[in-house]
Amino acid sequence: QVQLVESGGGLVQAGGSLRLSCVASGRTFSSYAMGWFRQAPGKEREFVAGIRWSGGMIYYADYADSVKGRFTISRDNAENTVYLQMNSLKSEDTAVYYCAAWRGVAKVNPTGVDYWGKGTLVTVSS
């Protein structure tokens, strides 16, 4: 059974940092792109960041424009884990963050995701 389990969410002040982690189990995800989406109250789920491994030390990452320069995604294939380092957080980053895995390029719409985690809440206070 495939599972994606997020951790690291919480309450942080604007300008602060958080690091989200997602551990995948049930299969090997090295051939999958992995990443993060978020959904704020009353809004649609949106892509945040994704990363694809192309072999050796080559990774391709992509980000939503709203988080470029502030968020960094990374992954550890040996541990089936993906991370999201979030710096300079803003109140508009408040949302439930979902870990995801999919086949293909580093950026995808929610309809293209094969596996979802249950989400972790990030709240940024201003």
Side-chain angles (χ1 to χ4, degrees):
Q1 180 183 359
V2 172
Q3 281 190 311
L4 304 179
V5 179
E6 304 96 336
S7 61
L11 174 64
V12 63
Q13 288 189 331
S17 299
L18 280 176
R19 189 191 195 207
L20 304 183
S21 300
C22 170
V23 179
S25 61
R27 65 166 300 146
T28 299
F29 283 91
S30 57
S31 62
Y32 280 67
M34 297 186 72
W36 297 89
F37 289 72
R38 67 185 181 187
Q39 189 166 17
K43 294 189 176 181
E44 294 185 350
R45 192 169 298 189
E46 63 176 2
F47 172 84
V48 175
I51 186 167
R52 180 172 66 89
W53 180 57
S54 291
M57 296 298 291
I58 301 175
Y59 295 84
Y60 294 97
D62 206 344
Y63 298 89
D65 288 343
S66 59
V67 306
K68 281 181 181 176
R70 300 189 297 121
F71 291 10
T72 303
I73 189 169
S74 60
R75 67 187 288 171
D76 183 338
N77 286 332
E79 299 294 329
N80 256 5
T81 301
V82 62
Y83 304 96
L84 186 67
Q85 178 67 42
M86 306 185 294
N87 298 330
S88 302
L89 283 161
K90 305 176 182 179
S91 57
E92 51 262 46
D93 294 318
T94 295
V96 176
Y97 284 71
Y98 296 90
C99 180
W102 63 90
R103 289 161 291 184
V105 297
K107 186 173 186 177
V108 72
N109 291 323
T111 55
V113 171
D114 295 298
Y115 303 104
W116 290 102
K118 293 184 178 181
T120 184
L121 177 62
V122 172
T123 304
V124 184
S125 63
S126 55

